[in-house]
Amino acid sequence: MTSEIERRPAFDAQRQIKRVIIDANLMPGDPLPTEVQLMDRLGISRGSLREALKGLQARGIVDVVHGRGMFVGRLSMDALVDGLTFHTQLGAGDDHRRVASELVDVRDILERTLIEQVAREADAGLVRELGQIVDQMELTGESAPPFEELDRQFHTVLYRSIGNEVVTKLIRAFWEVLDAARPALPTSQDDRAENARHHRAIFEAIRAGEPEMAREAMQQHFSGTHRWIQDSPARRPARLDTEANI
């Protein structure tokens, strides 16, 4: 006869597994008890346990490595990125603009606050690295490095010194989702030139050690991004582009 605990839904088993992790004071990367140990402790079948573990794995709470075992998952935004990217690619026209604009709003809130700390604390190494990236962003022609990759690199380097893993992962996550919308929002050479000017202004404010100037430059940057989104002739990405990002 099926026991009462065995009739509990999968999400309840997931909650019990999380409680095991917390009660044991396990940290990301630490091994979990074996399947047999968890089955005995929770009073559930192997099938129910594995169903619960799959759900936790999809959310990044548990990491199952074939041939090695089960481990506490590390902080990841993969599930957030996958979900947002998928729904971004479902839309067309105004849908792409709306999603992209909302993502930019979130980045604007985060980065306008963080940039002041960066401007106050930037050392010579950070200033030098940011300056090199901006110099490359201002290059034109076929020999110039890919602009969007330089843009991503600038913002990644910008907040590396803060040491806040959650913030940096969030910014990276929202960037990746915005990248998924780019095929539907074409970027012109004029757009890139304006973007490079915004990054130059941010860099100069950081080099001068002026937090308020840096905040204002960042606000202007995102205002320009909003204009690009609204003015871009939105189109649905080609099927190949969509499949490449799923």
Side-chain angles (χ1 to χ4, degrees), residues 110-128 130 154-164 167-168 171 202-215 218:
L110 281 173
E111 297 198 43
R112 267 193 293 149
T113 300
L114 294 172
I115 195 64
E116 295 188 47
Q117 181 179 345
V118 174
R120 284 193 297 267
E121 301 175 357
D123 59 20
L126 176 61
V127 170
R128 181 171 56 255
L130 291 174
F154 181 91
H155 289 267
T156 300
V157 170
L158 196 60
Y159 304 113
R160 191 172 58 201
S161 62
I162 291 178
N164 187 319
V167 166
T168 53
I171 291 174
I202 294 169
F203 165 70
E204 294 296 348
I206 293 171
R207 181 163 65 173
E210 293 287 347
E212 292 184 10
M213 185 188 302
R215 182 184 178 92
M218 185 64 74

mmCIF file of all heavy atoms in Angstrom, residues 110-128 130 154-164 167-168 171 202-215 218:
data_model
loop_
_atom_site.group_PDB
_atom_site.id
_atom_site.type_symbol
_atom_site.label_atom_id
_atom_site.label_comp_id
_atom_site.label_asym_id
_atom_site.label_seq_id
_atom_site.Cartn_x
_atom_site.Cartn_y
_atom_site.Cartn_z
ATOM 1 N N LEU A 110 19.880 49.175 -11.905
ATOM 2 C CA LEU A 110 21.051 48.550 -11.278
ATOM 3 C C LEU A 110 22.321 49.349 -11.527
ATOM 4 O O LEU A 110 23.075 49.672 -10.598
ATOM 5 C CB LEU A 110 21.232 47.133 -11.824
ATOM 6 C CG LEU A 110 20.357 46.018 -11.265
ATOM 7 C CD1 LEU A 110 20.577 44.747 -12.057
ATOM 8 C CD2 LEU A 110 20.646 45.788 -9.792
ATOM 9 N N GLU A 111 22.564 49.677 -12.782
ATOM 10 C CA GLU A 111 23.864 50.212 -13.147
ATOM 11 C C GLU A 111 24.038 51.678 -12.761
ATOM 12 O O GLU A 111 25.159 52.117 -12.483
ATOM 13 C CB GLU A 111 24.111 49.993 -14.639
ATOM 14 C CG GLU A 111 24.152 48.508 -14.999
ATOM 15 C CD GLU A 111 24.801 48.240 -16.337
ATOM 16 O OE1 GLU A 111 25.837 48.861 -16.630
ATOM 17 O OE2 GLU A 111 24.260 47.399 -17.092
ATOM 18 N N ARG A 112 22.956 52.448 -12.748
ATOM 19 C CA ARG A 112 23.103 53.847 -12.322
ATOM 20 C C ARG A 112 23.506 53.936 -10.854
ATOM 21 O O ARG A 112 24.171 54.886 -10.437
ATOM 22 C CB ARG A 112 21.806 54.610 -12.554
ATOM 23 C CG ARG A 112 21.757 55.326 -13.893
ATOM 24 C CD ARG A 112 20.623 56.295 -13.938
ATOM 25 N NE ARG A 112 19.329 55.649 -13.922
ATOM 26 C CZ ARG A 112 18.236 56.177 -13.381
ATOM 27 N NH1 ARG A 112 18.287 57.343 -12.765
ATOM 28 N NH2 ARG A 112 17.091 55.531 -13.427
ATOM 29 N N THR A 113 23.080 52.959 -10.064
ATOM 30 C CA THR A 113 23.469 52.937 -8.652
ATOM 31 C C THR A 113 24.897 52.432 -8.496
ATOM 32 O O THR A 113 25.710 53.016 -7.771
ATOM 33 C CB THR A 113 22.507 52.031 -7.859
ATOM 34 O OG1 THR A 113 21.178 52.535 -7.982
ATOM 35 C CG2 THR A 113 22.904 51.995 -6.380
ATOM 36 N N LEU A 114 25.231 51.353 -9.206
ATOM 37 C CA LEU A 114 26.544 50.731 -9.059
ATOM 38 C C LEU A 114 27.669 51.592 -9.604
ATOM 39 O O LEU A 114 28.786 51.565 -9.086
ATOM 40 C CB LEU A 114 26.543 49.384 -9.775
ATOM 41 C CG LEU A 114 25.634 48.296 -9.182
ATOM 42 C CD1 LEU A 114 25.595 47.103 -10.106
ATOM 43 C CD2 LEU A 114 26.102 47.896 -7.796
ATOM 44 N N ILE A 115 27.391 52.365 -10.651
ATOM 45 C CA ILE A 115 28.455 53.110 -11.304
ATOM 46 C C ILE A 115 29.077 54.141 -10.371
ATOM 47 O O ILE A 115 30.256 54.482 -10.485
ATOM 48 C CB ILE A 115 27.928 53.794 -12.592
ATOM 49 C CG1 ILE A 115 29.087 54.263 -13.466
ATOM 50 C CG2 ILE A 115 26.991 54.933 -12.257
ATOM 51 C CD1 ILE A 115 29.945 53.144 -13.985
ATOM 52 N N GLU A 116 28.304 54.639 -9.417
ATOM 53 C CA GLU A 116 28.852 55.608 -8.468
ATOM 54 C C GLU A 116 29.922 54.958 -7.598
ATOM 55 O O GLU A 116 30.965 55.562 -7.330
ATOM 56 C CB GLU A 116 27.730 56.185 -7.603
ATOM 57 C CG GLU A 116 26.714 57.006 -8.379
ATOM 58 C CD GLU A 116 25.745 57.717 -7.464
ATOM 59 O OE1 GLU A 116 26.190 58.341 -6.472
ATOM 60 O OE2 GLU A 116 24.532 57.652 -7.724
ATOM 61 N N GLN A 117 29.671 53.738 -7.170
ATOM 62 C CA GLN A 117 30.674 53.018 -6.377
ATOM 63 C C GLN A 117 31.924 52.753 -7.206
ATOM 64 O O GLN A 117 33.051 52.909 -6.719
ATOM 65 C CB GLN A 117 30.101 51.693 -5.869
ATOM 66 C CG GLN A 117 31.084 50.889 -5.020
ATOM 67 C CD GLN A 117 30.489 49.584 -4.515
ATOM 68 O OE1 GLN A 117 29.265 49.381 -4.557
ATOM 69 N NE2 GLN A 117 31.337 48.690 -4.045
ATOM 70 N N VAL A 118 31.734 52.385 -8.454
ATOM 71 C CA VAL A 118 32.876 52.134 -9.339
ATOM 72 C C VAL A 118 33.718 53.398 -9.500
ATOM 73 O O VAL A 118 34.946 53.365 -9.410
ATOM 74 C CB VAL A 118 32.401 51.639 -10.718
ATOM 75 C CG1 VAL A 118 33.583 51.525 -11.676
ATOM 76 C CG2 VAL A 118 31.692 50.294 -10.590
ATOM 77 N N ALA A 119 33.040 54.528 -9.717
ATOM 78 C CA ALA A 119 33.765 55.790 -9.919
ATOM 79 C C ALA A 119 34.556 56.187 -8.682
ATOM 80 O O ALA A 119 35.640 56.775 -8.788
ATOM 81 C CB ALA A 119 32.784 56.894 -10.303
ATOM 82 N N ARG A 120 34.040 55.866 -7.511
ATOM 83 C CA ARG A 120 34.739 56.221 -6.270
ATOM 84 C C ARG A 120 35.945 55.320 -6.017
ATOM 85 O O ARG A 120 36.934 55.751 -5.428
ATOM 86 C CB ARG A 120 33.775 56.134 -5.080
ATOM 87 C CG ARG A 120 32.780 57.286 -4.961
ATOM 88 C CD ARG A 120 32.092 57.270 -3.605
ATOM 89 N NE ARG A 120 31.302 56.059 -3.423
ATOM 90 C CZ ARG A 120 30.005 55.959 -3.710
ATOM 91 N NH1 ARG A 120 29.364 57.003 -4.216
ATOM 92 N NH2 ARG A 120 29.349 54.835 -3.508
ATOM 93 N N GLU A 121 35.858 54.056 -6.460
ATOM 94 C CA GLU A 121 36.853 53.069 -6.061
ATOM 95 C C GLU A 121 37.764 52.596 -7.190
ATOM 96 O O GLU A 121 38.676 51.800 -6.957
ATOM 97 C CB GLU A 121 36.138 51.851 -5.458
ATOM 98 C CG GLU A 121 35.281 52.195 -4.230
ATOM 99 C CD GLU A 121 34.497 51.001 -3.720
ATOM 100 O OE1 GLU A 121 34.583 49.920 -4.353
ATOM 101 O OE2 GLU A 121 33.777 51.151 -2.706
ATOM 102 N N ALA A 122 37.558 53.078 -8.412
ATOM 103 C CA ALA A 122 38.327 52.577 -9.560
ATOM 104 C C ALA A 122 39.823 52.807 -9.377
ATOM 105 O O ALA A 122 40.250 53.907 -9.019
ATOM 106 C CB ALA A 122 37.839 53.257 -10.836
ATOM 107 N N ASP A 123 40.601 51.758 -9.625
ATOM 108 C CA ASP A 123 42.065 51.895 -9.549
ATOM 109 C C ASP A 123 42.638 52.068 -10.955
ATOM 110 O O ASP A 123 41.917 52.032 -11.966
ATOM 111 C CB ASP A 123 42.695 50.701 -8.837
ATOM 112 C CG ASP A 123 42.387 49.372 -9.519
ATOM 113 O OD1 ASP A 123 42.031 49.377 -10.720
ATOM 114 O OD2 ASP A 123 42.509 48.328 -8.860
ATOM 115 N N ALA A 124 43.948 52.245 -11.035
ATOM 116 C CA ALA A 124 44.602 52.513 -12.310
ATOM 117 C C ALA A 124 44.430 51.351 -13.287
ATOM 118 O O ALA A 124 44.272 51.565 -14.499
ATOM 119 C CB ALA A 124 46.087 52.791 -12.075
ATOM 120 N N GLY A 125 44.427 50.116 -12.774
ATOM 121 C CA GLY A 125 44.275 48.953 -13.643
ATOM 122 C C GLY A 125 42.910 48.925 -14.316
ATOM 123 O O GLY A 125 42.810 48.636 -15.517
ATOM 124 N N LEU A 126 41.864 49.218 -13.544
ATOM 125 C CA LEU A 126 40.515 49.233 -14.109
ATOM 126 C C LEU A 126 40.379 50.344 -15.145
ATOM 127 O O LEU A 126 39.814 50.137 -16.225
ATOM 128 C CB LEU A 126 39.481 49.423 -12.997
ATOM 129 C CG LEU A 126 38.019 49.547 -13.444
ATOM 130 C CD1 LEU A 126 37.572 48.279 -14.167
ATOM 131 C CD2 LEU A 126 37.113 49.842 -12.260
ATOM 132 N N VAL A 127 40.888 51.525 -14.820
ATOM 133 C CA VAL A 127 40.816 52.652 -15.749
ATOM 134 C C VAL A 127 41.527 52.311 -17.054
ATOM 135 O O VAL A 127 41.022 52.583 -18.159
ATOM 136 C CB VAL A 127 41.423 53.916 -15.105
ATOM 137 C CG1 VAL A 127 41.566 55.027 -16.148
ATOM 138 C CG2 VAL A 127 40.554 54.393 -13.934
ATOM 139 N N ARG A 128 42.685 51.697 -16.955
ATOM 140 C CA ARG A 128 43.445 51.338 -18.155
ATOM 141 C C ARG A 128 42.674 50.327 -19.003
ATOM 142 O O ARG A 128 42.589 50.473 -20.237
ATOM 143 C CB ARG A 128 44.800 50.771 -17.748
ATOM 144 C CG ARG A 128 45.681 50.396 -18.944
ATOM 145 C CD ARG A 128 47.095 50.032 -18.503
ATOM 146 N NE ARG A 128 47.110 48.952 -17.519
ATOM 147 C CZ ARG A 128 47.346 49.125 -16.214
ATOM 148 N NH1 ARG A 128 47.593 50.327 -15.724
ATOM 149 N NH2 ARG A 128 47.344 48.086 -15.390
ATOM 150 N N LEU A 130 39.385 49.680 -19.050
ATOM 151 C CA LEU A 130 38.187 50.291 -19.645
ATOM 152 C C LEU A 130 38.560 51.203 -20.810
ATOM 153 O O LEU A 130 37.864 51.238 -21.838
ATOM 154 C CB LEU A 130 37.413 51.083 -18.583
ATOM 155 C CG LEU A 130 36.722 50.269 -17.489
ATOM 156 C CD1 LEU A 130 36.136 51.198 -16.432
ATOM 157 C CD2 LEU A 130 35.626 49.384 -18.086
ATOM 158 N N PHE A 154 32.829 45.707 -21.714
ATOM 159 C CA PHE A 154 32.930 46.943 -20.938
ATOM 160 C C PHE A 154 32.131 46.837 -19.642
ATOM 161 O O PHE A 154 32.634 47.141 -18.556
ATOM 162 C CB PHE A 154 32.419 48.119 -21.775
ATOM 163 C CG PHE A 154 32.495 49.459 -21.090
ATOM 164 C CD1 PHE A 154 33.614 50.264 -21.231
ATOM 165 C CD2 PHE A 154 31.449 49.927 -20.292
ATOM 166 C CE1 PHE A 154 33.691 51.505 -20.602
ATOM 167 C CE2 PHE A 154 31.508 51.146 -19.661
ATOM 168 C CZ PHE A 154 32.639 51.942 -19.814
ATOM 169 N N HIS A 155 30.888 46.405 -19.746
ATOM 170 C CA HIS A 155 30.026 46.344 -18.560
ATOM 171 C C HIS A 155 30.450 45.223 -17.615
ATOM 172 O O HIS A 155 30.291 45.347 -16.394
ATOM 173 C CB HIS A 155 28.567 46.180 -18.986
ATOM 174 C CG HIS A 155 27.982 47.409 -19.607
ATOM 175 N ND1 HIS A 155 27.302 48.358 -18.877
ATOM 176 C CD2 HIS A 155 28.015 47.868 -20.885
ATOM 177 C CE1 HIS A 155 26.922 49.335 -19.687
ATOM 178 N NE2 HIS A 155 27.339 49.062 -20.909
ATOM 179 N N THR A 156 31.000 44.140 -18.165
ATOM 180 C CA THR A 156 31.498 43.062 -17.311
ATOM 181 C C THR A 156 32.697 43.529 -16.494
ATOM 182 O O THR A 156 32.768 43.314 -15.276
ATOM 183 C CB THR A 156 31.894 41.844 -18.164
ATOM 184 O OG1 THR A 156 30.749 41.373 -18.885
ATOM 185 C CG2 THR A 156 32.423 40.723 -17.285
ATOM 186 N N VAL A 157 33.646 44.171 -17.165
ATOM 187 C CA VAL A 157 34.840 44.690 -16.483
ATOM 188 C C VAL A 157 34.461 45.771 -15.488
ATOM 189 O O VAL A 157 35.024 45.862 -14.383
ATOM 190 C CB VAL A 157 35.847 45.237 -17.522
ATOM 191 C CG1 VAL A 157 36.979 45.990 -16.843
ATOM 192 C CG2 VAL A 157 36.395 44.103 -18.369
ATOM 193 N N LEU A 158 33.489 46.580 -15.856
ATOM 194 C CA LEU A 158 33.086 47.722 -15.045
ATOM 195 C C LEU A 158 32.739 47.327 -13.611
ATOM 196 O O LEU A 158 33.148 47.992 -12.650
ATOM 197 C CB LEU A 158 31.881 48.393 -15.710
ATOM 198 C CG LEU A 158 31.500 49.802 -15.267
ATOM 199 C CD1 LEU A 158 32.633 50.780 -15.509
ATOM 200 C CD2 LEU A 158 30.243 50.256 -16.011
ATOM 201 N N TYR A 159 32.010 46.220 -13.454
ATOM 202 C CA TYR A 159 31.509 45.860 -12.125
ATOM 203 C C TYR A 159 32.266 44.694 -11.485
ATOM 204 O O TYR A 159 31.891 44.230 -10.415
ATOM 205 C CB TYR A 159 30.019 45.524 -12.218
ATOM 206 C CG TYR A 159 29.237 46.661 -12.813
ATOM 207 C CD1 TYR A 159 28.627 46.534 -14.054
ATOM 208 C CD2 TYR A 159 29.146 47.886 -12.159
ATOM 209 C CE1 TYR A 159 27.938 47.587 -14.619
ATOM 210 C CE2 TYR A 159 28.459 48.945 -12.718
ATOM 211 C CZ TYR A 159 27.858 48.793 -13.948
ATOM 212 O OH TYR A 159 27.184 49.841 -14.507
ATOM 213 N N ARG A 160 33.312 44.239 -12.139
ATOM 214 C CA ARG A 160 34.080 43.119 -11.597
ATOM 215 C C ARG A 160 34.692 43.464 -10.238
ATOM 216 O O ARG A 160 34.782 42.616 -9.351
ATOM 217 C CB ARG A 160 35.174 42.748 -12.590
ATOM 218 C CG ARG A 160 35.887 41.444 -12.299
ATOM 219 C CD ARG A 160 36.806 41.091 -13.452
ATOM 220 N NE ARG A 160 37.786 42.156 -13.686
ATOM 221 C CZ ARG A 160 38.438 42.319 -14.835
ATOM 222 N NH1 ARG A 160 38.202 41.504 -15.854
ATOM 223 N NH2 ARG A 160 39.311 43.300 -14.971
ATOM 224 N N SER A 161 35.090 44.723 -10.078
ATOM 225 C CA SER A 161 35.774 45.110 -8.842
ATOM 226 C C SER A 161 34.838 45.208 -7.643
ATOM 227 O O SER A 161 35.290 45.236 -6.501
ATOM 228 C CB SER A 161 36.478 46.467 -9.044
ATOM 229 O OG SER A 161 35.531 47.478 -9.339
ATOM 230 N N ILE A 162 33.537 45.260 -7.886
ATOM 231 C CA ILE A 162 32.590 45.401 -6.784
ATOM 232 C C ILE A 162 32.556 44.147 -5.922
ATOM 233 O O ILE A 162 32.364 44.208 -4.705
ATOM 234 C CB ILE A 162 31.182 45.732 -7.324
ATOM 235 C CG1 ILE A 162 31.179 47.144 -7.912
ATOM 236 C CG2 ILE A 162 30.130 45.615 -6.239
ATOM 237 C CD1 ILE A 162 29.863 47.549 -8.516
ATOM 238 N N GLY A 163 32.718 43.000 -6.561
ATOM 239 C CA GLY A 163 32.757 41.753 -5.805
ATOM 240 C C GLY A 163 31.396 41.255 -5.369
ATOM 241 O O GLY A 163 31.301 40.436 -4.455
ATOM 242 N N ASN A 164 30.310 41.730 -6.028
ATOM 243 C CA ASN A 164 28.962 41.262 -5.701
ATOM 244 C C ASN A 164 28.534 40.271 -6.773
ATOM 245 O O ASN A 164 28.158 40.652 -7.886
ATOM 246 C CB ASN A 164 27.989 42.455 -5.647
ATOM 247 C CG ASN A 164 26.614 42.059 -5.139
ATOM 248 O OD1 ASN A 164 26.088 41.011 -5.490
ATOM 249 N ND2 ASN A 164 26.038 42.909 -4.303
ATOM 250 N N VAL A 167 24.851 40.579 -8.233
ATOM 251 C CA VAL A 167 24.672 41.714 -9.138
ATOM 252 C C VAL A 167 25.301 41.433 -10.497
ATOM 253 O O VAL A 167 24.685 41.661 -11.546
ATOM 254 C CB VAL A 167 25.274 42.999 -8.521
ATOM 255 C CG1 VAL A 167 25.411 44.092 -9.578
ATOM 256 C CG2 VAL A 167 24.388 43.489 -7.384
ATOM 257 N N THR A 168 26.526 40.938 -10.499
ATOM 258 C CA THR A 168 27.196 40.696 -11.770
ATOM 259 C C THR A 168 26.488 39.606 -12.573
ATOM 260 O O THR A 168 26.395 39.709 -13.810
ATOM 261 C CB THR A 168 28.667 40.302 -11.548
ATOM 262 O OG1 THR A 168 28.748 39.202 -10.636
ATOM 263 C CG2 THR A 168 29.450 41.459 -10.976
ATOM 264 N N ILE A 171 23.282 41.220 -14.104
ATOM 265 C CA ILE A 171 23.594 42.062 -15.255
ATOM 266 C C ILE A 171 23.926 41.200 -16.464
ATOM 267 O O ILE A 171 23.468 41.463 -17.581
ATOM 268 C CB ILE A 171 24.761 43.018 -14.919
ATOM 269 C CG1 ILE A 171 24.292 44.062 -13.892
ATOM 270 C CG2 ILE A 171 25.279 43.710 -16.181
ATOM 271 C CD1 ILE A 171 25.387 44.962 -13.384
ATOM 272 N N ILE A 202 31.124 57.652 -19.948
ATOM 273 C CA ILE A 202 31.159 56.879 -18.700
ATOM 274 C C ILE A 202 32.613 56.688 -18.261
ATOM 275 O O ILE A 202 32.958 56.881 -17.085
ATOM 276 C CB ILE A 202 30.471 55.515 -18.891
ATOM 277 C CG1 ILE A 202 28.971 55.702 -19.161
ATOM 278 C CG2 ILE A 202 30.685 54.633 -17.656
ATOM 279 C CD1 ILE A 202 28.276 54.431 -19.629
ATOM 280 N N PHE A 203 33.450 56.307 -19.206
ATOM 281 C CA PHE A 203 34.862 56.082 -18.903
ATOM 282 C C PHE A 203 35.527 57.354 -18.377
ATOM 283 O O PHE A 203 36.279 57.297 -17.388
ATOM 284 C CB PHE A 203 35.587 55.592 -20.155
ATOM 285 C CG PHE A 203 37.083 55.682 -20.054
ATOM 286 C CD1 PHE A 203 37.792 54.848 -19.206
ATOM 287 C CD2 PHE A 203 37.781 56.623 -20.798
ATOM 288 C CE1 PHE A 203 39.169 54.943 -19.098
ATOM 289 C CE2 PHE A 203 39.155 56.729 -20.707
ATOM 290 C CZ PHE A 203 39.853 55.883 -19.845
ATOM 291 N N GLU A 204 35.290 58.489 -19.019
ATOM 292 C CA GLU A 204 35.932 59.729 -18.599
ATOM 293 C C GLU A 204 35.500 60.119 -17.191
ATOM 294 O O GLU A 204 36.301 60.635 -16.398
ATOM 295 C CB GLU A 204 35.615 60.845 -19.586
ATOM 296 C CG GLU A 204 36.194 60.650 -20.981
ATOM 297 C CD GLU A 204 37.718 60.652 -21.005
ATOM 298 O OE1 GLU A 204 38.350 61.015 -19.992
ATOM 299 O OE2 GLU A 204 38.298 60.273 -22.050
ATOM 300 N N ALA A 205 34.242 59.860 -16.850
ATOM 301 C CA ALA A 205 33.759 60.170 -15.505
ATOM 302 C C ALA A 205 34.441 59.279 -14.469
ATOM 303 O O ALA A 205 34.791 59.732 -13.372
ATOM 304 C CB ALA A 205 32.238 59.996 -15.436
ATOM 305 N N ILE A 206 34.641 58.007 -14.816
ATOM 306 C CA ILE A 206 35.331 57.087 -13.912
ATOM 307 C C ILE A 206 36.792 57.497 -13.761
ATOM 308 O O ILE A 206 37.339 57.516 -12.650
ATOM 309 C CB ILE A 206 35.218 55.642 -14.428
ATOM 310 C CG1 ILE A 206 33.773 55.170 -14.347
ATOM 311 C CG2 ILE A 206 36.131 54.704 -13.644
ATOM 312 C CD1 ILE A 206 33.523 53.850 -15.021
ATOM 313 N N ARG A 207 37.436 57.831 -14.862
ATOM 314 C CA ARG A 207 38.831 58.248 -14.802
ATOM 315 C C ARG A 207 38.999 59.515 -13.961
ATOM 316 O O ARG A 207 40.005 59.670 -13.245
ATOM 317 C CB ARG A 207 39.387 58.482 -16.209
ATOM 318 C CG ARG A 207 40.856 58.895 -16.209
ATOM 319 C CD ARG A 207 41.498 58.722 -17.556
ATOM 320 N NE ARG A 207 40.946 59.602 -18.579
ATOM 321 C CZ ARG A 207 41.460 59.720 -19.803
ATOM 322 N NH1 ARG A 207 42.517 58.975 -20.158
ATOM 323 N NH2 ARG A 207 40.928 60.525 -20.692
ATOM 324 N N ALA A 208 38.002 60.396 -13.998
ATOM 325 C CA ALA A 208 38.055 61.625 -13.210
ATOM 326 C C ALA A 208 37.654 61.399 -11.757
ATOM 327 O O ALA A 208 37.801 62.298 -10.925
ATOM 328 C CB ALA A 208 37.151 62.685 -13.830
ATOM 329 N N GLY A 209 37.128 60.194 -11.450
ATOM 330 C CA GLY A 209 36.689 59.912 -10.086
ATOM 331 C C GLY A 209 35.473 60.715 -9.681
ATOM 332 O O GLY A 209 35.347 61.134 -8.530
ATOM 333 N N GLU A 210 34.532 60.912 -10.639
ATOM 334 C CA GLU A 210 33.354 61.735 -10.402
ATOM 335 C C GLU A 210 32.092 60.865 -10.405
ATOM 336 O O GLU A 210 31.517 60.588 -11.459
ATOM 337 C CB GLU A 210 33.246 62.812 -11.482
ATOM 338 C CG GLU A 210 34.345 63.849 -11.455
ATOM 339 C CD GLU A 210 34.188 64.808 -10.271
ATOM 340 O OE1 GLU A 210 33.106 64.805 -9.648
ATOM 341 O OE2 GLU A 210 35.144 65.537 -9.980
ATOM 342 N N PRO A 211 31.618 60.423 -9.234
ATOM 343 C CA PRO A 211 30.451 59.529 -9.173
ATOM 344 C C PRO A 211 29.186 60.119 -9.801
ATOM 345 O O PRO A 211 28.475 59.418 -10.527
ATOM 346 C CB PRO A 211 30.262 59.295 -7.667
ATOM 347 C CG PRO A 211 31.607 59.547 -7.072
ATOM 348 C CD PRO A 211 32.202 60.647 -7.893
ATOM 349 N N GLU A 212 28.899 61.400 -9.516
ATOM 350 C CA GLU A 212 27.680 61.995 -10.061
ATOM 351 C C GLU A 212 27.755 62.109 -11.581
ATOM 352 O O GLU A 212 26.771 61.883 -12.295
ATOM 353 C CB GLU A 212 27.434 63.357 -9.427
ATOM 354 C CG GLU A 212 27.067 63.289 -7.946
ATOM 355 C CD GLU A 212 26.727 64.644 -7.370
ATOM 356 O OE1 GLU A 212 26.590 65.617 -8.149
ATOM 357 O OE2 GLU A 212 26.584 64.735 -6.129
ATOM 358 N N MET A 213 28.920 62.464 -12.088
ATOM 359 C CA MET A 213 29.106 62.541 -13.530
ATOM 360 C C MET A 213 28.946 61.161 -14.163
ATOM 361 O O MET A 213 28.355 61.015 -15.244
ATOM 362 C CB MET A 213 30.495 63.096 -13.841
ATOM 363 C CG MET A 213 30.751 63.340 -15.328
ATOM 364 S SD MET A 213 32.495 63.790 -15.647
ATOM 365 C CE MET A 213 32.644 65.246 -14.591
ATOM 366 N N ALA A 214 29.461 60.133 -13.486
ATOM 367 C CA ALA A 214 29.344 58.774 -13.999
ATOM 368 C C ALA A 214 27.883 58.326 -14.027
ATOM 369 O O ALA A 214 27.431 57.684 -14.987
ATOM 370 C CB ALA A 214 30.166 57.820 -13.134
ATOM 371 N N ARG A 215 27.150 58.673 -12.996
ATOM 372 C CA ARG A 215 25.724 58.315 -12.946
ATOM 373 C C ARG A 215 24.956 58.984 -14.084
ATOM 374 O O ARG A 215 24.118 58.370 -14.739
ATOM 375 C CB ARG A 215 25.139 58.718 -11.592
ATOM 376 C CG ARG A 215 23.660 58.355 -11.408
ATOM 377 C CD ARG A 215 23.136 58.874 -10.075
ATOM 378 N NE ARG A 215 21.731 58.571 -9.908
ATOM 379 C CZ ARG A 215 21.261 57.476 -9.323
ATOM 380 N NH1 ARG A 215 22.104 56.573 -8.847
ATOM 381 N NH2 ARG A 215 19.961 57.280 -9.213
ATOM 382 N N MET A 218 25.792 57.322 -17.344
ATOM 383 C CA MET A 218 25.110 56.038 -17.464
ATOM 384 C C MET A 218 23.641 56.245 -17.808
ATOM 385 O O MET A 218 23.062 55.514 -18.637
ATOM 386 C CB MET A 218 25.246 55.241 -16.163
ATOM 387 C CG MET A 218 24.676 53.827 -16.235
ATOM 388 S SD MET A 218 25.564 52.768 -17.424
ATOM 389 C CE MET A 218 27.084 52.455 -16.507
#
